[in-house]
Amino acid sequence: MEEGSNGEEPTSWDELYNINLMPSELFVKFRKEIEGFRVGLNLELYNVPINEYQAKLVLKPLAHDRRWKFIYEPLQHDVRLLSKKIPVTKFLNLQVGIGHSFKLNATGWKWKLTTCLGGDGISRIRNKTTLGLCPGVDFRFGWKADYVLPEITGALGTGEPLFNMNSGRLQASLDRVEAIFTHTP
């Protein structure tokens, strides 16, 4: 445990290490493979910060080097064409999309740079883990971990402590659970 810089009580282990296993997103995905394409129906339930529901129809090529996917959101009346995530560096990806909102009668484009590492001064890992239950049924878990690695320091003759230990921090959460049902001919 560590003592604060202003002499306060040491931080408890419960505050330093927190793991949340209650997902904020639940997805059920139905997929059908037809003549080199995958057609999907995604039912998405969002729990936090507000309860929300979305449905999406997704079309994308089955080819390993697929470069795009088409998404139609019937409840929001939106259509989008997204590029595949393009690797810029080993840990950095670029994705570009163009879309149209029939509700707003507006067309626009977006881009985003993403990485599985990084955060705001804290290291972050984000990942998806897939568990194949049986042929055609998969579960995918989206999780993240924000962490500060433990650190041991010391000094002599500088007015700093001879031995100081920062026990680090870990905030981990299971953010998304997906049930994926795929029908292959």
Side-chain angles (χ1 to χ4, degrees):
M1 314 248 228
E2 55 191 68
E3 185 174 318
S5 59
N6 57 0
E8 62 193 38
E9 288 294 315
T11 306
S12 74
W13 287 104
D14 292 338
E15 293 174 13
L16 292 175
Y17 300 97
N18 182 8
I19 299 175
N20 180 7
L21 296 177
M22 181 57 69
S24 58
E25 300 174 358
L26 298 171
F27 291 9
V28 178
K29 297 181 176 185
F30 300 96
R31 296 176 174 171
K32 172 90 173 154
E33 296 175 359
I34 303 173
E35 297 184 22
F37 291 94
R38 177 181 288 151
V39 179
L41 170 65
N42 297 356
L43 304 174
E44 304 175 358
L45 304 166
Y46 299 93
N47 188 26
V48 175
I50 59 171
N51 293 329
E52 186 178 332
Y53 167 82
Q54 288 187 358
K56 294 180 183 177
L57 293 171
V58 180
L59 174 71
K60 62 182 168 183
L62 282 174
H64 180 66
D65 63 342
R66 67 175 159 75
R67 300 184 191 281
W68 58 272
K69 71 178 167 182
F70 176 81
I71 300 172
Y72 172 60
E73 297 181 35
L75 299 176
Q76 284 80 17
H77 304 290
D78 290 343
V79 293
R80 288 181 296 197
L81 182 63
L82 297 175
S83 74
K84 176 182 177 180
K85 289 182 181 172
I86 304 161
V88 177
T89 67
K90 186 175 180 179
F91 298 108
L92 191 63
N93 298 310
L94 172 68
Q95 188 172 32
V96 179
I98 186 168
H100 181 77
S101 171
F102 291 100
K103 269 186 182 174
L104 302 174
N105 195 23
T107 301
W109 69 281
K110 286 184 176 182
W111 61 271
K112 75 175 171 180
L113 284 171
T114 59
T115 181
C116 66
L117 304 172
D120 300 325
I122 297 175
S123 298
R124 170 174 283 175
I125 296 173
R126 290 182 314 180
N127 206 341
K128 291 181 185 174
T129 303
T130 302
L131 173 67
L133 195 57
C134 62
V137 179
D138 296 315
F139 284 99
R140 184 181 303 158
F141 304 97
W143 57 272
K144 73 177 177 197
D146 296 332
Y147 63 92
V148 175
L149 293 175
E151 177 181 64
I152 299 174
T153 60
L156 187 58
T158 63
E160 296 177 26
L162 178 62
F163 179 80
N164 189 19
M165 184 177 124
N166 177 342
S167 54
R169 294 186 184 276
L170 173 65
Q171 301 291 322
S173 63
L174 177 64
D175 295 331
R176 176 188 293 186
V177 174
E178 300 177 19
I180 304 168
F181 302 95
T182 305
H183 180 265
T184 54

